[in-house]
Amino acid sequence: MVSGAPSSSVHASFITTTAGLNRQTPPMRLFEKAKRFGIWNPSDLDFSQDIVDWRRLSALEQEVLLHLTSLFQAGEEAVTADILPLLLTVAGEGRLEEEMYLTTFLFEEAKHTDFFRRFLDEVVGAQTDLSHFHTPSYRAIVYEALPTAMRRLLVDPSPAAQVRASVTYNMIVEGVLAETGYHAYLTALERNGLMPGTCRGVRLLKQDESRHIAYGVHLISRLIAADDRLWEVAEETMNDLLRPALGVVADIFGSYETMPFGLDESEFANYALAQFQKRLERIERARGASLEEIDRITDRSIELDDA
Ligand code: MN
Ligand code: FE2
């Protein structure tokens, strides 16, 4: 048996027929939100105007959108494939509420993978290998650091390994790379009045991502609150991944002499760095906090997100 799985092969009891569900916890509140907002269907998006818009783009504009899409597509597939060890770890600790929330997380990442593949199939319509867009910085994070940190949980579900996994997945891949990428993508398309179906999908997807990041912040915070030595693990993991994360942004802009859609490198490099700082400061607040305080801080950010 892998050590992330429950240590016993029988159930001693069931949470829902003894204590009941703790609905006031942040993971259950995120689960409620996911049931309301996370059930949009990529198959329902209307890409008809997007197809018209795509055909009118210049070769360079098409190339840049394809480049960005190839990063999103592989990224969504990676997060879909790599979340399972975390579900197993959380389930193994008997955290039913967190496991219930994480079922929506996995479903949503699968939907995002579906969404970008629909864009490629229905709007772009070309079956080409896009992996040449994946530079060493991108590979260092999405091909290597992410699966390494997540699969580690299968043999080592310790709190330190959980912090490394969640920092890599939720803070860097989602909190820095995806947030910056979707911001750039939406800016490029909306500023130029292009591709309404794709924009709608990305806006919905960003809502899902904000719940994912809120869960990650909550997980890392409760681990750091329980053991302050884990702050160093979190900070070190963040810092190790900062250079390749900023490298991903630099590589996109470095690939083109003039960037179309009015995209400006410094705007997005600054945005990525601001996301990084914001996440780091946010999880640092968990140091010395009680679990009740962690719940309250997470609840406040879930509410802010509602606004
Ligand atoms: Mn996603
Ligand atoms: Fe996500």
Side-chain angles (χ1 to χ4, degrees):
M1 185 193 296
V2 293
S3 48
S7 51
S8 163
S9 53
V10 298
H11 286 291
S13 67
F14 290 98
I15 292 166
T16 51
T17 49
T18 52
L21 288 170
N22 195 345
R23 294 195 184 272
Q24 298 318 311
T25 56
M28 281 305 280
R29 299 191 52 206
L30 288 169
F31 183 56
E32 280 303 318
K33 282 192 81 171
K35 287 185 293 175
R36 251 184 304 145
F37 302 114
I39 49 163
W40 59 279
N41 184 353
S43 316
D44 290 341
L45 292 169
D46 178 2
F47 283 131
S48 51
Q49 183 59 42
D50 301 55
I51 294 167
V52 174
D53 289 348
W54 175 263
R55 292 192 184 134
R56 288 186 185 144
L57 294 176
S58 70
L60 175 66
E61 289 168 331
Q62 289 187 348
E63 175 86 353
V64 168
L65 286 186
L66 215 48
H67 186 150
L68 288 170
T69 306
S70 83
L71 308 188
F72 298 146
Q73 181 73 80
E76 299 291 2
E77 180 179 331
V79 292
T80 305
D82 294 333
I83 191 73
L84 277 165
L86 182 64
L87 268 112
L88 204 57
T89 302
V90 161
E93 292 182 357
R95 299 180 189 276
L96 182 64
E97 289 89 347
E98 292 196 27
E99 185 191 353
M100 286 170 72
Y101 168 65
L102 285 171
T103 64
T104 72
F105 195 132
L106 175 56
F107 171 60
E108 287 164 8
E109 298 301 10
K111 245 175 12 172
H112 302 168
T113 304
D114 175 27
F115 167 70
F116 284 111
R117 196 60 238 185
R118 275 180 192 284
F119 173 82
L120 289 172
D121 292 336
E122 292 167 34
V123 179
V124 178
Q127 276 298 346
T128 51
D129 186 341
L130 303 173
S131 44
H132 62 280
F133 288 120
H134 301 164
T135 58
S137 292
Y138 182 84
R139 286 171 185 270
I141 298 179
V142 175
Y143 284 63
E144 291 160 29
L146 178 71
T148 301
M150 299 308 290
R151 289 171 199 175
R152 167 96 198 178
L153 294 173
L154 296 173
V155 291
D156 169 20
S158 66
Q162 291 183 40
V163 167
R164 270 186 222 104
S166 181
V167 165
T168 306
Y169 191 118
N170 303 112
M171 301 297 99
I172 297 292
V173 173
E174 295 190 310
V176 177
L177 287 189
E179 288 283 284
T180 304
Y182 297 140
H183 177 62
Y185 205 64
L186 272 185
T187 303
L189 297 180
E190 284 177 338
R191 202 182 264 167
N192 297 285
L194 293 167
M195 307 218 212
T198 306
C199 288
R200 182 165 157 67
V202 173
R203 277 194 302 271
L204 289 164
L205 184 154
K206 270 167 66 76
Q207 281 187 5
D208 296 346
E209 289 304 334
S210 70
R211 288 189 299 278
H212 302 175
I213 296 167
Y215 173 76
V217 166
H218 182 72
L219 171 62
I220 296 163
S221 297
R222 78 161 163 71
L223 291 164
I224 290 175
D227 180 356
D228 193 60
R229 288 169 304 176
L230 296 175
W231 161 248
E232 260 169 60
V233 176
E235 196 181 27
E236 189 186 275
T237 311
M238 290 287 288
N239 288 332
D240 283 350
L241 294 172
L242 176 60
R243 187 198 292 264
L246 294 177
V248 172
V249 179
D251 288 347
I252 297 166
F253 285 88
S255 306
Y256 305 97
E257 227 161 85
T258 38
M259 201 63 164
F261 305 115
L263 288 173
D264 171 49
E265 176 163 10
S266 63
E267 181 185 345
F268 296 101
N270 290 338
Y271 189 89
L273 200 57
Q275 296 299 309
F276 178 90
Q277 279 301 340
K278 189 168 90 176
R279 311 288 172 214
L280 194 64
E281 282 162 22
R282 184 64 179 68
I283 56 179
E284 189 172 15
R285 289 173 64 192
R287 301 189 72 183
S290 67
L291 289 177
E292 292 72 34
E293 280 164 339
I294 299 295
D295 282 3
R296 264 202 308 279
I297 296 171
T298 310
D299 278 348
R300 264 204 304 277
S301 63
I302 295 172
E303 270 152 31
L304 281 176
D305 209 52
D306 280 333

